[in-house]
Amino acid sequence: MTVRVLVFYGSYRSDRMGIRLADYIVASLAARGGAAELIDAKAVGLPMLDRMYKEYPRGEAPEKLEKLAAKIRAADAFVFVTGEYNWGMQPGLKNLTDHFLEEWFWRPAAIASYSAGRFAGARSAVMWHGTLSEMGMVVISSALAVGAIGEALTADGKPTGAAGASLEHAFPRFADDLFWWSEAAKMQRERKAPPY
Ligand SMILES: Cc1cc2nc3c(=O)[nH]c(=O)nc-3n(C[C@H](O)[C@H](O)[C@H](O)COP(=O)(O)O)c2cc1C
């Protein structure tokens, strides 16, 4: 069973670093047999939330929203690559996720946090855990946490140094855990239609 994973990343900064981790996760999931795709909020370019996807009459949502809704519905699992701004979430990623609700339901999500400092975006990860649960995802217990993001990965997403080695050590369990829950949720969705 090929697991379809969307990897979400939401920094809009010109000099952004977290894209390295997002690229690493997409490549590493693919190397383990997953069908992984990066959803870069900056590239998607949704406006600040006005209407949620579901608030548009059927067939009348802007094309960007319609395309992303279809991708979310077709996915088996999600990874949220979450940086930390002032102990909080990055607004670009939060804005993108808030456009949807039911589209996320009945699927697992994993959190990969990072920051420039030693705490590896842990405070943002804690906030995302509650938010993803509220949006109907089952947050798996395996997580990635990458500190010193600028030193842990090269510009093309290759792990380097001690932080990079630690990331590579953690990744197999993270991916296996996500794939296991993805398959479990997919089988259950096929066996029994979600109640709502
Ligand atoms: C506005 C802003 C606030 C930040 N606040 C935090 C913070 O609270 N904790 C932290 O560890 N790093 C913080 N940083 C440093 C970020 O971890 C670092 O810049 C990281 O690369 C940001 O992700 P990005 O490059 O993908 O945008 C902050 C950076 C910015 C730009």
Side-chain angles (χ1 to χ4, degrees), residues 36-121:
E37 179 182 347
L38 174 67
I39 305 293
D40 176 354
K42 184 178 183 179
V44 175
L46 296 181
M48 286 294 282
L49 179 65
D50 174 10
R51 288 190 187 141
M52 292 173 72
Y53 171 69
K54 69 177 180 182
E55 292 176 315
Y56 288 92
R58 191 177 291 268
E60 290 181 27
E63 195 183 352
K64 286 175 184 178
L65 272 185
E66 201 67 71
K67 278 189 174 165
L68 190 49
K71 283 187 182 189
I72 295 170
R73 275 196 301 257
D76 300 313
F78 312 111
V79 175
F80 287 81
V81 180
T82 62
E84 180 174 301
Y85 292 162
N86 299 315
W87 287 34
M89 297 168 164
Q90 290 168 313
L93 186 55
K94 182 64 163 55
N95 184 57
L96 180 146
T97 59
D98 285 341
H99 277 82
F100 304 97
L101 185 61
E102 287 79 359
E103 293 75 24
W104 302 111
F105 283 11
W106 316 109
R107 293 161 177 83
I111 296 169
S113 70
Y114 69 92
S115 77
R118 283 182 301 127
F119 295 123

